[in-house]
Amino acid sequence: MTENSQQQNPAPTTELPTQYAPAEVEGALYQRWVDRGYFTADAKSEKDPYSIVIPPPNVTGALHLGHAFQVTLMDALTRRKRMQGFETLWLPGMDHAGIATQNKVEQQLAEEGKSRHDIGREAFVEKTWQWKNEYGGRILGQLKRLGAGLDWSRERFTMDEGLSRAVQKIFKDLFDDGLIYRAERIINWCPRCLTAISDIEVDYQDDDGELVSLKYGEGDETVVVATTRVETMLGDTAVAVHPDDERYARLIGKRIKLPLTDRTIPVVADTHVDPEFGTGAVKVTPAHDPNDFAIGQRHDLETLTIMDERGVITVPGPFQGLDRFEARSAIVAALREQGRVVSEKRPYVHSVGHCSRCKTTIEPRLSLQWWVKVETLAQAAGDAVRDGRVELHPKEMERRYFDWVDNLNDWCISRQLWWGHRIPVWYGPEGQVVCVGPDEEAPGTEAEGWTQDEDVLDTWFSSGLWPFSTLGWPEQTEDLAKFYPTSVLLTGHDIIFFWVVRMMMFGLYSMDGEIPFQTVALTGLVRDEFGKKMSKSNPNAVDPIDWMDAYGSDAVRFTLARGANPGADVPIGEDWVQASRNFANKIWNATRFALMNGATIEGPLPEPSQMTATDRWILSRLNKVVAEVDAYYDDYQFAKLSDSLYHFAWDEVFDWYVELSKTTFMAGGEPAKVSGRVLGEVLDVTLRLLHPVVPFVTETLWTTLTGGESVVVADWPKDSGFRDEAAEKEIETVQQVVVEVRRFKAEQGLKAGQRVPARLTLDGTALAPHEPAIRQLLKLQPEGEDFAAAATLPVAGAEVALDLSGAIDVAAERKRLAKDLAAAEKDKAQAEGKLGNEKFLSKAPDHVVDGIRARLAKADEDIARIQAQLERLPQA
């Protein structure tokens, strides 16, 4: 028995259609939920809050399986909490996706033969807003198709008026506190997008390049260095060696000639250099490499930028005007002519960064940019996890989190784009620098010599405010007071460094040390059924909408949830979605059968004394499953809770309880009414347990069964504590008998539904009351006058004697088994022969010997099994 049974609404008389057709019900059901306001949170409610903000998908995006995966899990969490009585807010929204969206609009302009510079900044931004309003946000409609119970009345966009105000506010606060500054540093530069990009927007892949060793200097003052980017030698301002490397001790402090130039450069000693790697000497190009920049800072080296923003060489001379890759070949040729190329290795496979948007090779570049000083912010983000205020799940992810947050470099937040939050800093005619906060006026006009900074902020800057800006901050709103801090952040482990850490830093800074979320539940990535990454460039990419069209949204959701082990990647294939569709159909057909056979929730549950052992067994198992599912939810074990519900519903309820109860239903009378009420209870609770993961089919079935308003707002089941271990053991014994006899029938080549006469000796055992059900399940006919027991199976203290005359050809079956036995004995003899040969054992690899031992064990198993089958057969 369980608490919170839906007893007030008897089941309606409406019958279910013979087949479940997802396409005919899903859209209408979802719109009904929205129209009734089930997903709209009330900030004035006195209920305990539970809140999640969705990781905002890009406005340019379309639903992919990764989105569907995380959205399914968040929806399951919020649906359960809503049923548990929490005031639940799941807040939707989108990210403006600076580079991606700007690229879309620039592509449109290119089709018209124009660039953004042709129409100017103001017109370009206006055109981008038009694109967003016309084409953006397709993914939100697709989330509705998936069944996501989001509060659409609170939908936000990272560039809406409220969030823009929040961005301006935190920028001003950080600037005034000295935590935002402007400086020249090495950044990731995309020569195609013409902007700095964040680390997460850089995709690294192994490219075929070349490693060229070059000779610098003359005579005794010669040093050999190696590089994969020969063109950058035009910007070298030093050669660095380790201070303890005796090979170069005489050169430290001297200047040597830089080939192809009129310059000499110093040899400096720096502990960054690994004397064991290569020649132990490295070229130093401070303006085009982050490590070299650091060396340059330590030794006060000159920084020379040798190419423009498009990757074109700007150094006067024969290479000026060449693209960086053209210059690479030309410079190698020139150095070869001078005899300065010591060696060339081609191909040389090495990791190269590419822009994730346009696939252009990234160019490390010295650039004047805006930065966030992260030291104190990162310390606070680390402490919040260390002291337990924020829980990372699974806990093993803490090490990765600390490795990142404890070694975080200052964050470059400026982007050379036009679409995004423009940096609120103004420059005056006398060199003034003024940061403007919300509600503040610009310090002057362009006519007076004042200009605003041209750059916009990194998209991750505004998304870092997402947990509190979406709730109305910097205003002290009712939503902020009710739903902050949010309860859970569920996101992929791949952006723990780039998004989670930034939300932690900004939340703790802006909200007076209050955490942005209590738990971070980290998921893996969705991969194909072979474990390979899904990609549009590969034939393995899947549009989840296609699968929803074919199999229904519930099937896609259940497949994703059933693969969701914390932090682990999720393989998925179409066969698995088909299996989940079959599960939805099984739920449908079994509920339909139950309704046709008297399943009801009308009236209270009968007393246990009125129930059969089968009834008490299923109610005991039901309560254990309720407790089990709750524990799995609280531990974010979606795969385990889904698997538990799958096997309980399919195996225990539909395949065992319903089948064991058929004889009771057929007999009618009071026992049938009791079992009908128990079956109704079990279905009611099972459907409510399943609802958060498979909402559509459970809504249709539950409302039909109970007559209730909606399972969305039904009570979440509670474990009443009812247990009946004796009944569980009794039914386990029944199952043991059925399984054993089914196995024997299969071994004898009998079909599952083939009827055979049988004598059941059950007296004195707990099996006696179950004889009608056992006979029904096993298709066992009563023994007649001419009954002749061909095989007797002792099982669980009872005996089942079977008359196989007429059911099988005993002679043919003995002949077949004898042949199988001879083959197994031959396998055994061969394996024993090899394992007894010392010469063979001394030479054979371990894995070969292990394979032969496994073969011997298998042969022994087969021999024992076949001999047992032969013994059970009647004598010919």
Side-chain angles (χ1 to χ4, degrees):
M1 288 170 281
T2 59
E3 295 182 16
N4 296 332
S5 301
Q6 304 298 305
Q7 299 173 2
Q8 69 281 12
N9 296 306
T13 57
T14 306
E15 291 187 359
L16 290 167
T18 55
Q19 290 184 323
Y20 177 50
E24 296 177 11
V25 301
E26 290 179 350
L29 279 183
Y30 186 84
Q31 192 57 51
R32 186 188 310 160
W33 293 333
V34 173
D35 291 344
R36 290 180 176 179
Y38 293 154
F39 306 141
T40 304
D42 181 5
K44 293 183 172 64
S45 167
E46 294 184 0
K47 297 178 182 178
D48 290 338
Y50 184 86
S51 57
I52 295 179
V53 291
I54 195 171
N58 286 351
V59 67
T60 59
L63 186 71
H64 58 65
L65 279 173
H67 291 132
F69 172 54
Q70 293 183 0
V71 166
T72 293
L73 304 188
M74 284 183 277
D75 195 36
L77 289 175
T78 52
R79 283 180 183 270
R80 172 177 175 255
K81 286 296 182 180
R82 188 178 295 112
M83 294 172 75
Q84 286 181 316
F86 287 80
E87 190 60 42
T88 304
L89 169 62
W90 185 20
L91 193 147
M94 292 184 298
D95 191 284
H96 63 278
I99 294 177
T101 309
Q102 178 154 319
N103 281 347
K104 292 283 187 183
V105 180
E106 287 195 89
Q107 288 168 10
Q108 281 189 344
L109 287 172
E111 293 171 2
E112 302 170 12
K114 298 177 182 178
S115 74
R116 60 181 165 122
H117 300 285
D118 293 329
I119 65 174
R121 183 171 193 143
E122 186 176 344
F124 179 81
V125 170
E126 182 179 350
K127 189 173 182 68
T128 309
W129 275 107
Q130 291 172 355
W131 183 94
K132 182 262 180 186
N133 293 333
E134 186 172 355
Y135 300 105
R138 177 165 60 118
I139 190 171
L140 297 184
Q142 294 171 326
L143 296 183
K144 296 176 182 178
R145 173 73 188 278
L146 191 65
L150 290 150
D151 184 348
W152 297 107
S153 70
R154 286 176 166 87
E155 181 185 336
R156 303 307 299 266
F157 179 57
T158 50
M159 281 182 61
D160 67 27
E161 183 178 351
L163 269 66
S164 295
R165 180 179 176 82
V167 168
Q168 196 172 0
K169 164 69 173 167
I170 195 171
F171 189 101
K172 170 72 171 173
D173 291 346
L174 290 165
F175 182 89
D176 289 347
D177 286 345
L179 296 176
I180 281 184
Y181 64 96
R182 199 179 190 212
E184 276 195 322
R185 298 278 181 84
I186 297 288
I187 45 86
N188 302 309
W189 181 266
C190 176
R192 155 63 183 80
C193 298
L194 301 180
T195 182
I197 63 175
S198 67
D199 291 338
I200 198 174
E201 293 163 326
V202 179
D203 291 336
Y204 286 92
Q205 65 185 49
D206 288 340
D207 286 358
D208 287 342
E210 58 182 346
L211 180 67
V212 184
S213 296
L214 308 173
K215 183 167 59 178
Y216 285 14
E218 303 287 354
D220 292 338
E221 297 181 350
T222 297
V223 177
V224 176
V225 299
T227 181
T228 58
R229 300 164 65 216
V230 177
E231 68 281 3
T232 63
M233 60 87 58
L234 298 175
D236 286 356
T237 57
V239 169
V241 298
H242 194 277
D244 299 331
D245 194 335
E246 295 181 359
R247 293 172 294 177
Y248 303 111
R250 72 187 192 285
L251 296 179
I252 295 172
K254 293 186 177 181
R255 299 184 72 86
I256 60 175
K257 180 172 176 54
L258 180 66
L260 304 182
T261 72
D262 295 328
R263 296 189 291 115
T264 62
I265 58 177
V267 178
V268 299
D270 197 282
T271 54
H272 170 76
V273 179
D274 180 2
E276 303 297 324
F277 184 77
T279 64
V282 297
K283 58 190 287 299
V284 182
T285 321
H288 292 276
D289 182 274
N291 293 323
D292 293 1
F293 178 79
I295 293 174
Q297 292 287 98
R298 288 194 288 271
H299 297 277
D300 198 25
L301 299 177
E302 186 180 6
T303 56
L304 299 177
T305 299
I306 63 162
M307 60 184 79
D308 66 14
E309 60 185 9
R310 297 183 183 275
V312 175
I313 302 299
T314 57
V315 177
F319 311 110
Q320 187 174 14
L322 293 180
D323 172 80
R324 53 186 169 155
F325 300 118
E326 296 172 337
R328 182 176 298 176
S329 300
I331 291 172
V332 170
L335 290 167
R336 196 181 296 118
E337 285 183 14
Q338 292 188 4
R340 289 188 173 275
V341 176
V342 177
S343 66
E344 299 175 70
K345 184 177 181 180
R346 296 192 189 88
Y348 179 73
V349 179
H350 62 129
S351 182
V352 178
H354 297 261
C355 175
S356 62
R357 300 297 177 190
C358 67
K359 310 309 176 187
T360 301
T361 300
I362 291 302
E363 187 64 41
R365 186 170 188 261
L366 184 65
S367 182
L368 182 63
Q369 303 284 347
W370 285 94
W371 303 80
V372 173
K373 189 181 295 184
V374 301
E375 183 178 3
T376 57
L377 301 174
Q379 176 68 42
D383 289 346
V385 174
R386 284 190 174 93
D387 62 25
R389 283 176 291 155
V390 176
E391 176 190 6
L392 258 60
H393 190 91
K395 192 172 179 62
E396 301 82 67
M397 287 289 177
E398 285 186 1
R399 181 176 177 180
R400 293 179 61 188
Y401 178 84
F402 293 135
D403 283 348
W404 178 263
V405 79
D406 293 344
N407 298 284
L408 201 59
N409 295 318
D410 285 359
W411 169 22
C412 176
I413 56 172
S414 45
R415 299 290 180 266
Q416 290 64 55
L417 304 171
W418 286 354
W419 173 245
H421 295 100
R422 193 166 177 180
I423 289 176
V425 171
W426 292 75
Y427 306 105
E430 306 297 328
Q432 303 99 315
V433 178
V434 178
C435 180
V436 177
D439 302 324
E440 296 178 356
E441 297 291 334
T445 65
E446 286 191 24
E448 296 169 338
W450 287 87
T451 58
Q452 187 177 358
D453 196 291
E454 293 289 327
D455 291 351
V456 300
L457 288 163
D458 178 11
T459 299
W460 294 101
F461 190 95
S462 50
S463 61
L465 313 181
W466 192 249
F468 51 96
S469 63
T470 52
L471 297 174
W473 186 88
E475 310 305 323
Q476 297 305 307
T477 63
E478 288 183 331
D479 279 0
L480 195 64
K482 179 72 174 179
F483 297 111
Y484 191 89
T486 60
S487 305
V488 179
L489 173 74
L490 190 145
T491 190
H493 64 65
D494 55 325
I495 58 173
I496 183 175
F497 315 124
F498 308 105
W499 189 43
V500 177
V501 170
R502 287 164 184 174
M503 286 188 288
M504 289 280 280
M505 292 193 301
F506 282 172
L508 291 163
Y509 172 79
S510 294
M511 301 299 293
D512 297 323
E514 195 168 12
I515 56 174
F517 23 72
Q518 296 161 349
T519 300
V520 180
L522 295 165
T523 70
L525 308 178
V526 177
R527 298 186 179 275
D528 71 11
E529 58 192 305
F530 306 107
K532 294 181 180 178
K533 181 179 179 180
M534 287 191 175
S535 169
K536 291 181 181 177
S537 59
N538 294 331
N540 65 351
V542 173
D543 184 345
I545 298 296
D546 292 341
W547 279 355
M548 284 189 267
D549 287 342
Y551 308 112
S553 298
D554 284 334
V556 175
R557 290 170 61 112
F558 192 72
T559 305
L560 291 166
R562 205 173 177 195
N565 290 298
D569 289 347
V570 182
I572 184 172
E574 189 165 5
D575 288 350
W576 305 341
V577 184
Q578 291 176 351
S580 295
R581 184 271 315 274
N582 294 344
F583 178 53
N585 288 342
K586 181 76 171 181
I587 300 169
W588 182 274
N589 292 333
T591 304
R592 185 170 178 272
F593 168 85
L595 288 170
M596 293 169 61
N597 284 273
T600 179
I601 65 159
E602 188 173 3
L605 271 174
E607 291 298 319
S609 59
Q610 298 176 273
M611 299 179 188
T612 65
T614 307
D615 294 334
R616 298 194 304 277
W617 161 72
I618 198 63
L619 288 175
S620 182
R621 287 292 305 128
L622 177 67
N623 276 281
K624 285 184 178 179
V625 169
V626 170
E628 190 173 78
V629 168
D630 274 333
Y632 285 144
Y633 262 116
D634 292 341
D635 199 32
Y636 303 97
Q637 297 277 3
F638 296 98
K640 289 183 178 180
L641 72 89
S642 299
D643 213 47
S644 177
L645 287 169
Y646 175 90
H647 287 294
F648 176 71
W650 192 309
D651 300 344
E652 298 188 74
V653 178
F654 304 144
D655 280 358
W656 283 109
Y657 180 73
V658 169
E659 293 299 322
L660 285 169
S661 300
K662 278 184 177 178
T663 53
T664 303
F665 287 130
M666 287 188 290
E670 191 60 29
K673 292 180 181 179
V674 170
S675 292
R677 179 64 186 90
V678 170
L679 179 54
E681 179 76 8
V682 172
L683 287 175
D684 168 25
V685 173
T686 302
L687 291 171
R688 284 187 277 149
L689 290 172
L690 281 165
H691 173 72
V693 181
V694 283
F696 293 108
V697 67
T698 52
E699 171 79 341
T700 305
L701 295 175
W702 187 86
T703 52
T704 303
L705 171 70
T706 69
E709 177 187 345
S710 171
V711 70
V712 177
V713 291
D715 291 335
W716 181 253
K718 292 181 180 179
D719 173 14
S720 69
F722 176 78
R723 301 288 189 274
D724 193 325
E725 301 297 338
E728 288 194 43
K729 186 174 182 180
E730 185 172 325
I731 301 304
E732 284 173 11
T733 305
V734 173
Q735 292 171 328
Q736 185 181 350
V737 171
V738 172
V739 169
E740 186 64 27
V741 175
R742 279 176 175 169
R743 182 185 296 120
F744 174 77
K745 288 177 68 178
E747 288 172 352
Q748 305 310 315
L750 299 177
K751 295 179 181 179
Q754 190 168 348
R755 295 183 175 276
V756 295
R759 180 174 64 242
L760 276 62
T761 307
L762 308 177
D763 293 342
T765 74
L767 294 169
H770 301 284
E771 180 170 346
I774 292 173
R775 286 187 177 276
Q776 171 70 24
L777 285 165
L778 291 170
K779 310 302 181 189
L780 301 179
Q781 296 175 328
E783 53 183 306
E785 292 183 2
D786 55 349
F787 178 83
T792 301
L793 306 177
V795 187
E799 285 187 352
V800 179
L802 301 174
D803 182 352
L804 301 179
S805 59
I808 61 171
D809 184 333
V810 175
E813 185 64 12
R814 280 191 172 278
K815 186 176 180 179
R816 181 185 71 80
L817 290 173
K819 184 178 179 181
D820 290 347
L821 181 61
E825 288 173 336
K826 182 180 179 180
D827 277 351
K828 178 178 180 178
Q830 289 176 342
E832 286 178 335
K834 288 186 176 181
L835 292 174
N837 185 333
E838 292 297 333
K839 188 175 180 180
F840 169 78
L841 292 175
S842 65
K843 293 182 178 180
D846 289 345
H847 72 275
V848 172
V849 175
D850 290 343
I852 294 171
R853 288 191 178 120
R855 183 176 160 190
L856 176 60
K858 174 69 165 54
D860 282 334
E861 281 182 20
D862 289 345
I863 290 169
R865 175 179 54 80
I866 296 167
Q867 287 175 337
Q869 289 177 247
L870 283 167
E871 290 173 4
R872 290 169 179 161
L873 283 174
Q875 297 300 315

